[in-house]
């Protein structure tokens, strides 16, 4: 085992703590849309101004500066709207701060890899664990210049991090850059402008427990009536008392509708957000709320009824069911998905594959699903893999973060737990110990199927290999038993072995004779090969 890194301990992933459902606002009148656009533009401008102030504060932010910004926004909206805007601003700033830290880590990984490869002789071959030197002097020179560029970029980002300066784009940096590539995106300038403005609108409100239906700003009744508390400058557009505007559209959440109705009936907090899908020309209302964190079951309880090991790949999930002793049951299962096309198509493909996987796990009667704790943050750099562009595209296409989040939330609804295991050597050891033994004329075993078995066994706490090699024959008494075998409490462990003679189906032959002579027992080591007796498993030798 020399040279192998230490494996991390498997653990049960904590369950989700939030819920979000969405429904379409249908049959809106022209006046309804004008009011929604006016509210979105007004509050979006306030959000942009507040974000600019928060970024200017940097690390000097305090509770006093937060309160001052909220007071300024309250004059042009309301205290509740101002609170929602400032909270969204802080969340956006914190997200940009985390992305900045991840960018620094990625630059540092690339710099370390470049320094390592530049220090090696030209043409030196690499290994599976470490990259080798560069192929030519020209490549070495180009990489040395890239190292200088990355070091300069790293120093700039580190200085911004220490100063608390982040770069945030309301509406998204990707959509902003699309403005310079309208032909490639298939958009006109007017279409891009509509999408850009809609993304920068702000029509949302945080919930408040104890208030009517759980929200004072955007209120939804149990009958589905939606009303909005207008900001002060737009109060003249109200069509209901107390500066409210009631939409003609009603909502009915098909998914988790009962849970949502129970919350608003009990006046518990529910947050709402209204947004426009410019591509479809549709308005949507999203309701979200928090709930107590789903308590994870102990690891031993998750292993009690077996496990399903899942190997994540670029185009499918390879799954295998195992009993609690780590023995494969049945045939491998594969759940394909296609990650090409738009983001919505990719997300739908992931959800469909996970739904099929979870339904199979429920039918199988297991309590948990074992999955690798994958993170390719440091593996996708061009400095490490060099010219292996296809491999970099492969690992970049595996949706590790979104997959884990969706799998945990979807599995929790069916009472399933997720056990995360260390991904080291699962494919290599799975193929070494399980691919060939389980392959039959009627069963095709791939490397990914064998990796699913390795993941499941690791989640169950068993070693990946099936059984260790037995001790030599001349040292059997003093070498001990196999190191991987059934435990002392396993039923059937001390049972008698099958008879050593071949019998026809249904028992012995009618005349009571054996079809072939028995062979000598291995328990009597000095018996000649011509011996015609077999020691009974229950008798003792003197």
């Amino acid at each position: 085992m020399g040279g192998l890194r230490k494996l991390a301990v498997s653990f049960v992933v904590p369950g989700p703590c939030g819920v979000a459902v969405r429904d379409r606002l249908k049959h809106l009148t022209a006046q309804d849309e004008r009011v929604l656009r006016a509210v979105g533009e007004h509050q979006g401008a306030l959000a942009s101004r507040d974000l600019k102030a928060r970024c200017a504060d940097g690390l000097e932010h305090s509770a006093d500066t937060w309160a001052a910004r909220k007071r300024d926004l309250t004059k042009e909206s309301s205290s509740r709207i101002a609170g929602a805007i400032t909270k969204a601003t802080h969340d956006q700033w914190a997200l940009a701060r985390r992305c900045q830290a991840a960018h620094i880590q990625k630059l540092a990984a690339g710099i370390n890899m470049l320094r390592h490869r530049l220090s090696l002789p030209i043409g030196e071959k690499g290994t599976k664990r470490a990259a080798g030197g560069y192929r030519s002097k020209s490549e070495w020179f180009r990489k040395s210049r890239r190292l200088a560029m990355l070091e300069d970029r790293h120093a700039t980002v580190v200085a911004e991090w220490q100063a608390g300066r982040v770069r945030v784009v309301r509406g998204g940096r990707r959509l902003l850059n699309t403005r310079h590539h309208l032909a490639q995106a298939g958009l006109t300038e007017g279409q891009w402008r509509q999408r850009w403005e809609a993304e920068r609108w702000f029509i949302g409100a945080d919930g408040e427990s104890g208030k009517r239906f759980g929200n004072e700003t955007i209120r939804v009744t149990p009958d589905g009536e939606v009303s909005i508390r207008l900001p002060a400058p737009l109060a003249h557009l109200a069509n209901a008392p107390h500066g409210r505007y009631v939409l003609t559209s009603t909502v009915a959440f098909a998914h988790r509708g009962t849970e949502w109705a129970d919350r608003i009936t009990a006046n518990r907090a529910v947050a709402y957000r209204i947004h426009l899908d410019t591509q479809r020309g549709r308005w949507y209302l999203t309701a979200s709320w928090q709930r107590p964190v789903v308590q994870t079951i102990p690891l031993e309880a998750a292993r009690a009824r077996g496990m399903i090991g899942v190997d994540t790949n670029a185009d499918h999930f390879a799954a295998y069911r195992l009993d609690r002793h780590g023995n494969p049951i049945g045939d491998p299962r594969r759940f394909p998905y296609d990650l090409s096309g738009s983001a919505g198509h990719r997300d739908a493909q992931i959800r469909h594959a996970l739904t099929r996987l979870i339904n199979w796990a429920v039918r199988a009667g297991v309590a948990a699903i074992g999955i690798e704790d994958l993170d390719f943050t440091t593996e996708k750099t061009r400095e490490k893999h060099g010219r292996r562009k296809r491999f970099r595209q492969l690992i970049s296409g595996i949706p590790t973060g979104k997959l884990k989040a969706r799998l945990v939330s979807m599995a929790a609804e069916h009472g399933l737990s997720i056990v995360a295991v260390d991904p080291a050597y699962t494919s290599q050891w799975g193929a070494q110990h399980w691919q060939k033994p389980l392959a039959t004329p009627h069963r095709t075993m791939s490397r990914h199927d064998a990796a699913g078995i390795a993941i499941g066994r690791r989640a169950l706490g068993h070693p990946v290999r099936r059984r260790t090699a037995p001790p030599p024959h001349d040292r059997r008494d003093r070498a001990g038993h196999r190191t991987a075998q059934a435990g002392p409490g396993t039923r059937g462990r001390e049972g008698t072995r099958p008879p050593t003679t071949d019998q026809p189906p249904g028992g012995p032959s009618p005349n009571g004779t054996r079809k072939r002579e028995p062979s000598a027992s291995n328990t009597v080591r000095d018996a000649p090969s011509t011996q015609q007796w077999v020691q009974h498993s229950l008798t003792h030798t003197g």
Side-chain angles (χ1 to χ4, degrees):
M1 300 295 290
L4 301 181
R5 71 171 178 85
K6 185 178 180 180
L7 301 180
V9 180
S10 303
F11 62 94
V12 180
V13 181
C17 60
V19 175
V21 293
R22 189 180 70 171
D23 191 26
R24 180 184 172 188
L25 294 172
K26 300 180 180 179
H27 311 298
L28 291 174
T29 63
Q31 179 63 16
D32 292 341
E33 294 196 13
R34 281 195 294 268
V35 171
L36 290 177
R37 290 176 181 273
V39 173
E41 291 175 0
H42 176 74
Q43 296 183 169
L46 297 180
S48 299
R49 190 177 70 187
D50 184 67
L51 180 61
K52 180 180 178 181
R54 175 64 186 90
C55 293
D57 291 341
L59 299 179
E60 302 299 327
H61 167 72
S62 64
D64 295 335
T65 58
W66 189 349
R69 294 190 354 254
K70 185 176 179 180
R71 284 194 299 268
D72 294 340
L73 294 177
T74 302
K75 300 175 184 179
E76 303 184 44
S77 55
S78 68
S79 61
R80 291 187 177 90
I81 295 176
I85 291 176
T86 53
K87 182 179 181 300
T89 296
H90 282 278
D91 293 342
Q92 197 166 9
W93 189 90
L95 176 61
R97 183 77 169 171
R98 293 194 298 271
C99 293
Q100 190 179 47
H103 184 49
I104 293 175
Q105 182 181 4
K106 184 176 180 180
L107 288 175
I111 290 173
N112 293 335
M113 181 57 63
L114 283 173
R115 289 175 178 173
H116 166 71
R117 300 190 68 180
L118 289 172
S119 64
L120 299 177
I122 295 177
E124 180 172 339
K125 294 185 178 180
T127 62
K128 292 184 178 179
R129 304 183 185 280
Y134 292 108
R135 299 184 180 181
S136 61
K137 292 183 179 180
S138 61
E139 185 178 8
W140 189 96
F141 175 73
R142 291 193 301 269
K143 293 300 181 180
S144 64
R145 298 193 63 175
R146 176 168 176 80
L147 174 61
M149 180 190 67
L150 291 184
E151 289 176 341
D152 180 71
R153 189 181 301 174
H154 180 264
T156 303
V157 179
V158 169
E160 292 180 348
W161 166 267
Q162 294 174 350
R165 185 168 57 253
V166 299
R167 304 176 185 274
V168 187
V169 179
R170 290 200 69 250
R173 186 173 300 177
R174 177 175 297 181
L175 183 58
L176 177 63
N177 293 332
T178 304
R179 174 63 180 84
H180 307 288
H181 308 282
L182 296 178
Q184 298 179 7
L187 297 173
T188 63
E189 184 176 352
Q191 292 173 341
W192 177 88
R193 179 66 59 182
Q194 292 179 359
R195 186 179 300 183
W196 174 252
E197 293 176 351
E199 290 294 332
R200 291 169 61 86
W201 290 346
F202 186 93
I203 315 177
D206 298 331
E208 298 177 82
S209 294
K211 299 298 182 179
R212 189 180 180 187
F213 302 131
N215 199 310
E216 282 288 340
T217 304
I218 301 178
R219 181 181 296 166
V220 183
T221 65
D223 297 332
E225 182 185 82
V226 183
S227 63
I228 304 174
R229 177 68 181 271
L230 299 177
L234 302 178
H236 63 280
L237 299 176
N239 61 358
H242 308 293
R244 306 193 69 86
Y245 187 89
V246 180
L247 301 177
T248 58
S249 175
T250 58
V251 296
F253 297 105
H255 181 56
R256 300 183 185 275
T258 303
E259 186 177 352
W260 167 80
D262 293 341
R263 290 191 65 89
I264 65 171
T265 304
N267 296 330
R268 301 176 63 186
V270 178
Y272 295 104
R273 175 177 174 265
I274 299 176
H275 70 281
L276 171 65
D277 186 345
T278 56
Q279 292 181 326
R280 299 181 178 181
R282 299 176 180 178
W283 291 86
Y284 292 93
L285 173 68
T286 303
S288 58
W289 60 88
Q290 292 182 345
R291 60 181 182 181
V293 179
V294 178
Q295 298 295 329
T296 57
I297 63 176
L299 186 57
E300 294 302 324
R303 295 168 171 173
R305 290 184 289 168
M307 187 78 60
I308 288 182
V310 180
D311 181 46
T312 306
N313 301 283
D315 57 352
H316 74 282
F317 298 131
Y320 221 119
R321 180 189 173 192
L322 294 85
D323 62 15
R324 63 188 183 93
H325 302 293
N327 301 313
I329 300 176
D331 294 327
R333 299 290 297 269
R334 300 184 182 101
F335 304 96
Y337 49 81
D338 181 16
L339 296 182
S340 62
S342 63
H345 175 264
R346 296 193 299 269
D347 186 65
Q349 288 283 311
I350 290 293
R351 286 189 282 109
H352 179 61
L354 291 179
T355 300
R356 295 175 57 198
L357 170 63
I358 292 173
N359 290 339
W360 176 54
V362 172
R363 292 193 303 269
V366 300
I369 297 175
I371 192 169
E372 294 173 305
D373 189 13
L374 294 174
D375 184 11
F376 294 123
T377 303
T378 60
E379 300 293 330
K380 294 184 288 189
T381 59
R382 55 186 288 189
E383 284 73 27
K384 180 173 183 178
H385 298 291
R387 297 181 176 88
R388 302 175 61 187
K389 294 183 179 180
R390 292 181 62 87
F391 180 74
R392 283 159 44 198
Q393 294 174 355
L394 176 66
I395 59 179
S396 298
I398 299 179
T400 55
K402 182 177 293 186
L403 169 65
K404 287 187 286 189
R406 285 208 173 275
L407 180 57
V408 170
S409 60
M410 294 173 65
E413 298 303 318
H414 294 79
L416 296 174
S417 299
I418 304 300
V419 179
V421 304
D422 194 315
Y425 317 115
T426 52
S427 297
Q428 178 182 354
W429 291 353
Q432 178 182 355
H433 298 288
W434 292 98
Q435 184 175 4
K436 185 176 180 180
L438 290 181
T440 65
H442 303 285
R443 178 196 294 146
T444 302
M445 284 288 297
S446 68
R447 186 183 182 90
H448 306 301
D449 300 328
I453 299 177
I455 295 168
R457 288 181 64 88
R458 185 169 290 175
L460 288 167
H462 301 304
V464 173
R465 63 181 62 187
R466 294 179 295 142
R467 293 188 71 184
T468 57
H473 293 285
D474 62 329
R475 293 185 299 167
R476 187 173 297 178
D477 292 334
R478 52 193 172 93
H481 297 285
R482 297 175 184 264
T483 58
Q485 61 182 10
T490 304
R491 297 184 60 183
R493 177 176 180 269
E494 300 295 341
T496 57
R497 296 184 178 276
T500 57
T501 57
D502 292 337
Q503 296 181 357
S509 58
N511 55 9
T513 59
R514 298 180 185 269
K515 298 184 65 175
R516 67 178 179 86
E517 293 294 333
S519 60
S521 172
N522 289 331
T523 59
V524 184
R525 301 184 183 88
D526 55 352
S529 59
T530 58
Q531 194 75 22
Q532 298 297 317
W533 57 271
V534 178
Q535 179 183 354
H536 194 271
S537 59
L538 299 181
T539 60
H540 299 275
T541 57

